[in-house]
């Protein structure tokens, strides 16, 4: 259906015959480009003369389609792919055990699909647990650009969700990341992507803060780098001390952000 619609919009003939010789009239359509391997093979068959279009493009792909609707994160499940979570899946089983532990009737209409929903929720919040995280971070940090700028660069209000490793309850994170470059800068969206990758797993906020700073410092080798995370922990808001208005602030500083008071204060004022 996507191919038919796009063929009309772009005035390109729709066909399933890959033997066509009019390569300048061919539009290759797919739902998602991930690694880009499939699209690369197809386009090479036509000597790179065809146009390509996808619904979704992942930010780490090395293949650039001619047209795409949106850029998405790492975990994508299309409706036509979802035929129910396999019951042997450990997260599905965990959902079943929770229902049993709460003494609820698993056959009740409200709980029949709860194990499936639970599994999908955990996979979404903890999406970094289901990818090669080191490889993804390496890909994100590989997108750098030469620059003569030597002033502070700060990206504020990066928001994403993680999970408390102690109670398995969600944590809302708001991040501020800054650095002073040395000959090269990182794509701004990649800073947000790095934060999301590090946070989207069961991890201590303190550790996530340190990891983000270390990754930027080790790859960019800037004059200095600073990271501030503000966390809203549901494990503190909904249970125990029940502090609904709390905010947990953690910071990690490197280089001149730590050693030069003027630079440190400037960053902390921006981040605050």
């Amino acid at each position: 259906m996507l191919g038919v619609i796009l063929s009309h919009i772009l005035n390109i003939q729709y066909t399933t015959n890959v033997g066509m010789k009019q390569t300048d009239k061919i539009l290759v359509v797919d739902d998602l480009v991930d690694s880009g391997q499939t699209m690369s093979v197809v386009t090479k068959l036509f000597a790179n003369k065809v146009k390509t279009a996808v619904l979704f493009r992942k930010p780490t792909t090395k293949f650039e389609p001619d047209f795409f609707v949106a850029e998405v994160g790492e975990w994508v499940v299309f409706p036509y792919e979802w035929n129910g979570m396999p019951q042997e899946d450990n997260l599905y089983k965990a959902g079943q055990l929770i229902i049993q532990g709460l003494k609820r009737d698993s056959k009740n209409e409200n709980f029949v699909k709860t194990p499936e929903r639970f599994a999908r929720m955990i996979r979404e919040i903890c999406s970094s647990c289901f990818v090669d995280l080191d490889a993804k971070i390496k890909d994100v940090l590989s997108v750098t650009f030469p620059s003569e700028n030597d002033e502070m660069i700060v990206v504020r209000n990066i928001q994403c969700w993680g999970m408390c490793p102690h109670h398995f309850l969600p944590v809302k994170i708001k991040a501020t990341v800054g650095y002073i470059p040395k000959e090269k800068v990182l794509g701004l969206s990649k800073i947000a992507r790095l934060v999301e990758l590090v946070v989207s797993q069961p991890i201590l906020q303190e550790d996530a803060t340190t990891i983000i700073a270390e990754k930027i410092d080790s790859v960019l080798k800037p004059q200095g780098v600073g990271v501030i995370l503000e966390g809203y922990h549901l494990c503190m808001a909904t249970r125990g001390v029940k502090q609904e208005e709390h905010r947990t602030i953690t910071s990690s500083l490197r280089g001149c952000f730590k050693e030069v008071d003027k630079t440190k204060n400037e960053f902390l004022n921006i981040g605050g």
Side-chain angles (χ1 to χ4, degrees):
M1 180 59 71
L2 175 62
V4 174
I5 294 173
L6 286 175
S7 70
H8 283 290
I9 294 174
L10 301 174
N11 194 27
I12 299 177
Q13 182 181 355
Y14 175 77
T15 182
T16 57
N17 181 8
V18 295
M20 287 181 63
K21 294 182 179 180
Q22 294 177 300
T23 54
D24 60 327
K25 298 291 185 180
I26 294 180
L27 176 68
V28 180
V29 180
D30 203 354
D31 52 9
L32 172 75
V33 59
D34 187 356
S35 67
Q37 183 176 357
T38 301
M39 276 294 196
S40 296
V41 171
V42 172
T43 54
K44 285 180 181 179
L45 288 174
F46 296 99
N48 297 316
K49 294 181 180 180
V50 298
K51 295 292 185 180
T52 58
V54 298
L55 277 175
F56 302 114
R57 173 190 180 276
K58 290 190 177 182
T60 54
T61 183
K62 296 180 180 179
F63 180 85
E64 292 292 341
D66 295 292
F67 311 98
F68 68 93
V69 177
E71 190 170 84
V72 296
E74 295 306 315
W75 189 258
V76 180
V77 178
F78 293 98
Y80 55 79
E81 295 178 318
W82 192 265
N83 295 317
M85 177 67 66
Q87 294 192 8
E88 63 272 15
D89 182 275
N90 286 333
L91 293 174
Y92 185 98
K93 291 179 180 178
Q96 289 180 315
L97 290 174
I98 290 174
I99 293 173
Q100 294 175 19
L102 295 173
K103 302 184 186 302
R104 301 297 95 179
D105 181 5
S106 61
K107 296 180 181 179
N108 182 293
E109 184 177 349
N110 289 312
F111 299 106
V112 170
K113 291 191 175 182
T114 296
E116 180 179 312
R117 297 187 190 101
F118 174 80
R120 292 178 66 176
M121 176 193 69
I122 298 297
R123 287 180 179 276
E124 181 178 349
I125 297 175
C126 300
S127 58
S128 290
C129 294
F130 305 97
V131 298
D132 185 337
L133 185 56
D134 289 337
K136 294 296 183 183
I137 291 177
K138 183 178 179 180
D139 285 344
V140 167
L141 294 178
S142 67
V143 185
T144 61
F145 306 94
S147 175
E148 296 180 1
N149 179 54
D150 62 355
E151 299 291 338
M152 189 178 298
I153 299 170
V154 180
V155 181
R156 294 179 55 185
N157 295 328
I158 301 169
Q159 299 190 38
C160 54
W161 287 89
M163 181 169 284
C164 164
H166 300 149
H167 303 96
F168 281 176
L169 284 173
V171 180
K172 185 174 184 179
I173 293 292
K174 183 169 72 173
T176 297
V177 179
Y179 67 100
I180 298 178
K182 186 189 296 182
E183 300 180 350
K184 60 183 178 180
V185 296
L186 187 65
L188 295 179
S189 67
K190 306 309 176 185
I191 295 175
R193 187 72 187 113
L194 172 63
V195 173
E196 182 184 27
L197 282 169
V198 173
V199 169
S200 297
Q201 57 180 319
I203 188 172
L204 289 174
Q205 179 178 327
E206 297 88 336
D207 290 345
T209 312
T210 301
I211 291 171
I212 294 167
E214 286 179 344
K215 294 297 183 181
I216 294 175
D217 193 39
S218 64
V219 173
L220 286 185
K221 302 189 184 307
Q223 299 179 53
V225 59
V227 177
I228 299 173
L229 297 189
E230 177 183 299
Y232 180 67
H233 296 245
L234 290 187
C235 60
M236 278 191 66
T238 62
R239 54 160 301 281
V241 292
K242 296 183 179 179
Q243 294 296 310
E244 296 184 24
E245 301 300 322
H246 88 281
R247 295 296 186 274
T248 300
I249 311 295
T250 52
S251 66
S252 183
L253 306 176
R254 299 285 187 279
C256 63
F257 278 61
K258 186 172 186 177
E259 299 163 1
V260 180
D261 288 341
K262 183 178 179 180
T263 304
K264 177 193 295 184
N265 292 334
E266 179 184 352
F267 173 68
L268 292 178
N269 286 334
I270 293 174

